[in-house]
Amino acid sequence: GFDYIEGGYPASNPKDSEYFQRVRDLPLKHARVAAFGMTRRGKMNVEDDPQVKMLLDAQTPAVTIVGKTWPLHVTEVFQVTLEENLAMISDTVSHLKKHGREVLYDAEHFFDSYKDNPEYSLQTLRAARDAGADVLVLCDTNGGSLPEEIGRITSEVIADLKCPVGIH
């Protein structure tokens, strides 16, 4: 009865790569296997990013990609501009969609980011949605948000974006 089985990160190690080769032979009747990865790297074309290529090579019907939502992480961890981050999200989602994949977009640290900078947080979700993401997944990556906050923020996101939203 599970809808998705997130099988891992094909670029992480040979064992994960082998998993994606072997899972193709399973007679799954309902569940869809998803490969997990990241948006393209900054200052790189999506077609040239080896990690994105490995997501496609996994040949799963669905792909979950994680992207940076919090401006602090964009500028300090990825060391790219906020605009480049939006392009990284959009480019990756549209590239995967062009190759026929269902795309689940994980908005990393979403609730922390939204409390700090709601407008940019929404911009990252709009970039994924407008590029064709099938589901936007709001991640409480640190696990520190209270249920009331998650409920309020999720309601605000759904009202603004009017698209399928999940919580992780």
Side-chain angles (χ1 to χ4, degrees):
F2 286 101
D3 295 321
Y4 296 94
I5 300 169
E6 192 174 275
Y9 180 38
S12 69
N13 62 68
K15 193 173 190 176
D16 277 13
S17 294
E18 180 184 351
Y19 167 84
F20 289 106
Q21 292 173 9
R22 295 179 66 190
V23 75
R24 292 180 204 141
D25 296 330
L26 293 179
L28 299 175
K29 292 182 174 65
H30 176 78
R32 297 170 58 88
V33 176
F36 177 82
M38 302 176 291
T39 59
R40 70 162 171 86
R41 291 188 183 114
K43 304 170 191 157
M44 174 181 277
N45 291 326
V46 70
E47 297 85 4
D48 299 329
D49 189 311
Q51 180 265 158
V52 174
K53 183 179 181 330
M54 290 182 95
L55 291 173
L56 292 172
D57 289 347
Q59 298 180 21
T60 57
V63 175
T64 301
I65 58 164
V66 63
K68 298 290 184 199
T69 302
W70 205 346
L72 170 73
H73 292 155
V74 172
T75 57
E76 299 302 314
V77 176
F78 273 0
Q79 298 184 346
V80 298
T81 66
L82 299 180
E83 295 76 21
E84 173 68 1
N85 184 57
L86 296 175
M88 291 161 59
I89 295 166
S90 179
D91 293 350
T92 308
V93 171
S94 63
H95 184 71
L96 295 168
K97 292 300 292 181
K98 183 176 75 175
H99 286 87
R101 300 311 191 275
E102 180 178 7
V103 177
L104 295 86
Y105 176 72
D106 275 2
E108 185 179 44
H109 293 280
F110 180 79
F111 293 98
D112 292 325
S113 177
Y114 189 88
K115 289 181 255 183
D116 183 54
N117 188 331
E119 183 50 41
Y120 186 75
S121 302
L122 288 170
Q123 285 178 22
T124 65
L125 295 177
R126 287 183 195 114
R129 178 200 64 192
D130 295 349
D134 297 282
V135 178
L136 305 176
V137 181
L138 313 180
C139 301
D140 188 25
T141 309
N142 287 335
S145 297
L146 297 173
E148 297 81 18
E149 292 176 304
I150 290 176
R152 176 185 57 80
I153 292 169
T154 301
S155 294
E156 291 172 10
V157 168
I158 291 169
D160 185 274
L161 298 180
K162 297 173 180 50
C163 65
V165 172
I167 299 173
H168 168 60

